[in-house]
Amino acid sequence: MSLPKFNILESSCVPLPVENVDTDQIIPARFLKATSREGFGENLFRDWRYNKDQSPNKEFVLNSPVYRGSILVAGKNFGSGSSREHAAWALFDYGFRAVVSSFFADIFKNNALNNGLLPVQVSEAFLEKILNAVQADPDVQVRVDLPQQQIILLPTNEWESFEISSYKKSCLLNGFDDIDFLLSKKEKIKAYELKSELLYGT
Amino acid sequence: MEAKTLFDKIWDRHVVENIEGGPDILYIDRHYIHEVTSPQAFTGLENRKVPLLHPEKTVATADHNIPTKGQHLPIQEVLSRQQVKTLTENCEKHGVDLYGLNHPYNGIVHVIGTELGLSQPGMTIVCGDSHTSTHGAFGTIAFGIGTSEVEMVFASQCVLQPKPRKMRITIDGELQKGVTSKDIILYVISQISASGATGYFVEFAGEAIRNLSMEARMTICNMSIEMGARGGMIAPDEVTFDYLRNREFSPKGKDWEKAVEQWKQLKTDEEAVFDKELTFSANDIQPMITYGTNPGMGIAVQGKIPALNSVPKQNQASFQKSLQYMNFKPDTSLVGHRVDYVFLGSCTNGRIEDLRAFASLVKGKKKASTVTAWIVPGSQQVAKQAKAEGLDQILEEAGFELREPGCSACLAMNDDKIPEGKYAVSTSNRNFEGRQGPGARTLLASPLTAAAAAIAGKITNPVDFL
């Protein structure tokens, strides 16, 4: 099994300057009844994206004719609340490959990384800079460079570095998956179990 | 010897390997699963042609999707029925114990794991559900994971986790009358915000915490995720041991004595250092209620929604968006505001003590005719106990009905949905937009505050009823 690879991404952005976007907004609970991983993009941000009569809400950014791209730029504390990995699946299925925010909830961050969706944490100031640039010109290109761990606002070349563990970086660059990695550690896990049983009887 | 926190003691004992420049391989003692976040993990495992490494360490229940009326009948909604059926088939195929619909042990995963004695001090516990933090009340490292991580546990009994930072929150002093553990946690979150503990694992300590029952402690640890924490925990003590003694899966006889000896070592050393320490006074805490669309937006029931100019500038847009959704105004009081629905239940407040508290307040009174109330026990065992104590009678005489167990209106995956625009005082854990149904307006509160709202038909300080 493999993870979708991520290397360098250059794209225009979709701005969502809202704080505390919880995973219930990203994918409401009533759409969690599927038993496969596919098709969640259809209901991404469902209750913000559609009006009560199910017509598209023209005010919401995903329905805007001008904002396009595979980078979502969102307010701080993105992905809080429920641990549903369906949120990461929905964002990826819709076409996003990176989410930029000044702060991510822990579980969402893990889920995103486990699905080839890169969470890029930037400073409040840089987040504001990108949002302003995108709102002034929706075609503004941003480059997310994983090997260099940099995010660059291309028209002005303003950039910031972002953090990612070297293990996760290598997984994304090479398309390696955590489960294959853990399976390769079988002997170590077995040894741990034997030691733990001796020490604690568990 | 190096002074260690309780968290370090348990974490370090469970590290199989520290990956250079990466997370730890953390061994998991107990894995809970439910119907919503497990099917894709079973499929993944099968696609890899890998067996479930330790089926005996995983326990399953159906809770999120199930109806709270007519559980003896087939589930009517097709997709819910399919998901519960898939769980049953997967558990049979892989040899996992399942406490499914109609089983005497069925219930919300975080209610049954604790009441059956499956969650024990010193363990590492995970579940594809953010409220797994509940089990930290027993002195465990318990946290929610995603479905890919569920598959990791199936395949290897391990997860890859970066070690979080450590925070201690101390609540000194004694609680006032009518103030419950739900009020403590809503107060703490209102003080530090819904992201105030992101990146941290939190130990709760202090006199007010020590004086709480196990069920009250569970409510606090349950909602530690609502301030962004990876998990919450409380050192085990005599209260913990008393609770666990003679539970279905607790150690018995000599094993019990040996276990308690080990559990007594599970506490933070005096010299141990936390990355962050916060202290609050129990005396400052009053019955709490939320007014906005994240759990950090809480005030004392008697208090006022903040004025716009008291909110930091960068948060004002989100604050206004929340109030618009709730149709509330800044700088106003909620007391006397109409309440349409009351929900008692969930993994936060669906245990027997919560039902007792609710029943004690409504006893001899009548539910307001304008209020629809859903009283949903957290498990079959809670329901059975409530009936044995006659709580169902007290509730019935006051105009309430005890439903069947499940997650119910906490996340409205079943039919228990709050209609659009209606106000619900809910004992659950999240007031996000649409959480309890599209357009529903949720006000989080304790079982006592919910009971007072149900009787008065409006938001009321529960202390007035005590």
Side-chain angles (χ1 to χ4, degrees):
Chain A
M1 302 288 280
S2 62
L3 191 70
K5 285 187 191 178
F6 192 108
N7 198 295
I8 294 174
L9 172 69
E10 247 181 61
S11 168
S12 53
C13 300
V14 177
L16 185 65
V18 180
E19 292 175 4
N20 300 312
V21 175
D22 58 76
T23 54
D24 271 83
Q25 308 315 315
I26 300 174
I27 181 90
R30 62 186 186 280
F31 300 112
L32 306 185
K33 298 184 185 194
T35 52
S36 73
R37 287 175 180 240
E38 288 79 37
F40 287 101
E42 203 179 308
N43 294 311
L44 175 69
F45 291 116
R46 180 80 201 189
D47 293 340
W48 287 353
R49 204 166 138 197
Y50 295 95
N51 295 316
K52 282 153 210 160
D53 63 4
Q54 300 310 312
S55 61
N57 171 11
K58 293 205 172 89
E59 302 289 305
F60 188 62
V61 69
L62 292 193
N63 298 319
S64 154
V66 295
Y67 295 111
R68 292 271 177 276
S70 49
I71 302 175
L72 180 69
V73 185
K76 79 166 180 205
N77 198 25
F78 186 85
S80 57
S82 160
S83 61
R84 59 190 69 164
E85 193 163 316
H86 312 64
W89 299 337
L91 287 161
F92 193 92
D93 188 47
Y94 182 84
F96 289 114
R97 293 295 175 266
V99 184
V100 179
S101 177
S102 57
F103 201 74
F104 290 96
D106 291 325
I107 306 179
F108 175 80
K109 199 193 283 181
N110 279 354
N111 287 342
L113 287 167
N114 285 334
N115 287 280
L117 177 71
L118 185 68
V120 181
Q121 188 163 324
V122 297
S123 68
E124 296 267 350
F126 198 74
L127 180 69
E128 208 178 315
K129 204 168 271 179
I130 303 179
L131 284 170
N132 288 341
V134 173
Q135 276 159 350
D137 174 8
D139 295 326
V140 155
Q141 295 285 302
V142 166
R143 180 191 294 161
V144 178
D145 185 331
L146 180 59
Q148 297 299 322
Q149 294 181 222
Q150 282 179 348
I151 173 165
I152 308 157
L153 196 53
L154 285 177
T156 56
N157 266 327
E158 288 169 282
W159 63 276
E160 206 172 86
S161 21
F162 62 86
E163 304 238 337
I164 182 168
S165 79
S166 56
Y167 166 77
K168 269 293 166 196
K169 182 174 170 179
S170 147
C171 285
L172 284 168
L173 288 173
N174 299 299
F176 294 157
D177 151 307
D178 279 353
I179 299 172
D180 286 339
F181 176 77
L182 283 170
L183 287 170
S184 76
K185 296 285 178 181
K186 226 176 188 168
E187 294 307 315
K188 279 233 153 170
I189 295 169
K190 183 104 199 129
Y192 169 88
E193 287 176 338
L194 289 172
K195 186 190 81 179
S196 157
E197 192 163 347
L198 279 177
L199 284 176
Y200 310 111
T202 55
Chain B
M1 229 166 61
E2 184 201 356
K4 279 183 158 189
T5 65
L6 168 62
F7 175 80
D8 285 325
K9 287 181 185 179
I10 302 174
W11 182 280
D12 295 350
R13 183 195 282 188
H14 287 86
V15 173
V16 173
E17 190 184 341
N18 177 268
I19 309 299
E20 186 74 23
D24 287 341
I25 301 180
L26 191 72
Y27 194 83
I28 299 303
D29 296 319
R30 182 76 68 209
H31 183 205
Y32 298 114
I33 59 170
H34 60 73
E35 76 274 23
V36 178
T37 56
S38 67
Q40 295 88 349
F42 278 112
T43 308
L45 200 68
E46 285 165 13
N47 289 344
R48 285 172 207 270
K49 303 195 177 5
V50 170
L52 210 158
L53 184 63
H54 286 299
E56 76 283 2
K57 296 192 181 195
T58 295
V59 173
T61 185
D63 55 3
H64 280 59
N65 258 325
I66 60 178
T68 56
K69 282 195 123 175
Q71 289 188 350
H72 58 290
L73 302 167
I75 301 175
Q76 300 225 333
E77 218 249 351
V78 180
L79 289 174
S80 298
R81 187 169 68 235
Q82 183 59 37
Q83 213 172 36
V84 171
K85 186 170 159 253
T86 303
L87 178 72
T88 309
E89 290 166 357
N90 280 330
C91 288
E92 274 171 14
K93 205 188 309 180
H94 293 274
V96 172
D97 281 340
L98 166 68
Y99 302 128
L101 206 50
N102 298 314
H103 191 285
Y105 291 166
N106 178 250
I108 305 174
V109 62
H110 309 306
V111 176
I112 69 165
T114 50
E115 73 185 5
L116 291 171
L118 285 162
S119 298
Q120 298 164 14
M123 281 182 166
T124 46
I125 300 174
V126 293
C127 173
D129 192 290
S130 59
H131 292 111
T132 309
S133 56
T134 311
H135 307 265
F138 290 79
T140 71
I141 290 182
F143 55 91
I145 55 176
T147 298
S148 294
E149 293 166 312
V150 171
E151 192 180 335
M152 289 179 211
V153 182
F154 282 165
S156 68
Q157 203 56 40
C158 292
V159 287
L160 287 166
Q161 287 294 307
K163 191 173 181 178
R165 286 175 290 172
K166 290 155 287 177
M167 185 191 292
R168 178 161 58 190
I169 296 181
T170 305
I171 315 284
D172 286 328
E174 283 181 39
L175 291 175
Q176 300 183 52
K177 190 177 163 192
V179 179
T180 69
S181 70
K182 181 67 165 284
D183 302 303
I184 297 180
I185 191 66
L186 285 174
Y187 175 80
V188 170
I189 305 170
S190 77
Q191 297 295 305
I192 73 169
S193 92
S195 58
T198 302
Y200 291 91
F201 213 99
V202 177
E203 180 178 345
F204 292 95
E207 186 191 354
I209 301 290
R210 285 278 143 245
N211 286 338
L212 295 174
S213 70
M214 279 317 292
E215 297 199 355
R217 292 178 188 185
M218 287 182 228
T219 302
I220 292 199
C221 290
N222 172 279
M223 284 194 72
S224 41
I225 179 72
E226 308 309 337
M227 51 190 185
R230 205 66 189 84
M233 69 198 311
I234 295 170
D237 57 14
E238 287 303 325
V239 179
T240 321
F241 310 146
D242 284 346
Y243 179 96
L244 281 171
R245 193 174 286 119
N246 298 323
R247 298 260 160 191
E248 181 73 26
F249 293 98
S250 293
K252 305 278 164 15
K254 279 218 165 79
D255 289 341
W256 168 259
E257 284 159 36
K258 206 176 125 200
V260 171
E261 276 317 300
Q262 281 189 18
W263 295 345
K264 283 182 177 167
Q265 314 302 314
L266 294 170
K267 55 184 171 212
T268 292
D269 297 330
E270 244 169 70
E271 305 294 315
V273 179
F274 288 82
D275 299 294
K276 195 168 182 176
E277 293 246 25
L278 297 173
T279 302
F280 299 100
S281 165
N283 204 38
D284 292 340
I285 307 175
Q286 292 167 35
M288 296 286 293
I289 195 158
T290 64
Y291 61 88
T293 55
N294 76 58
M297 302 176 85
I299 50 174
V301 175
Q302 295 291 79
K304 271 183 166 184
I305 296 173
L308 185 61
N309 61 17
S310 71
V311 176
K313 202 150 188 177
Q314 68 271 22
N315 301 342
Q316 286 186 1
S318 297
F319 174 77
Q320 282 176 302
K321 183 175 183 291
S322 269
L323 291 197
Q324 196 180 5
Y325 180 85
M326 296 298 291
N327 198 20
F328 287 150
K329 297 210 164 27
D331 203 22
T332 56
S333 163
L334 289 175
V335 172
H337 193 285
R338 98 168 193 266
V339 172
D340 308 302
Y341 281 74
V342 166
F343 171 56
L344 178 82
S346 85
C347 58
T348 311
N349 282 125
R351 297 185 177 79
I352 191 67
E353 288 179 11
D354 303 312
L355 267 71
R356 283 182 197 141
F358 191 96
S360 75
L361 193 143
V362 304
K363 188 175 182 180
K365 303 184 183 69
K366 284 280 178 218
K367 177 180 76 65
S369 59
T370 49
V371 169
T372 303
W374 293 330
I375 314 294
V376 182
S379 72
Q380 291 286 357
Q381 294 209 78
V382 170
K384 195 171 148 195
Q385 179 71 21
K387 285 173 191 159
E389 293 179 18
L391 300 182
D392 55 335
Q393 290 303 316
I394 295 171
L395 290 170
E396 209 168 290
E397 281 160 24
F400 299 90
E401 173 201 18
L402 194 63
R403 296 171 79 100
E404 293 171 289
C407 296
S408 179
C410 174
L411 82 169
M413 275 191 84
N414 68 355
D415 293 331
D416 307 343
K417 292 177 173 57
I418 310 294
E420 190 192 331
K422 298 292 182 191
Y423 290 93
V425 174
S426 175
T427 66
S428 55
N429 40 58
R430 287 185 176 137
N431 50 356
F432 298 151
E433 283 184 31
R435 171 80 178 182
Q436 297 195 284
R441 292 166 171 154
T442 303
L443 300 98
L444 302 174
S446 76
L448 287 176
T449 304
I455 296 299
K458 53 193 181 188
I459 295 166
T460 312
N461 189 346
V463 177
D464 299 345
F465 285 89
L466 301 175

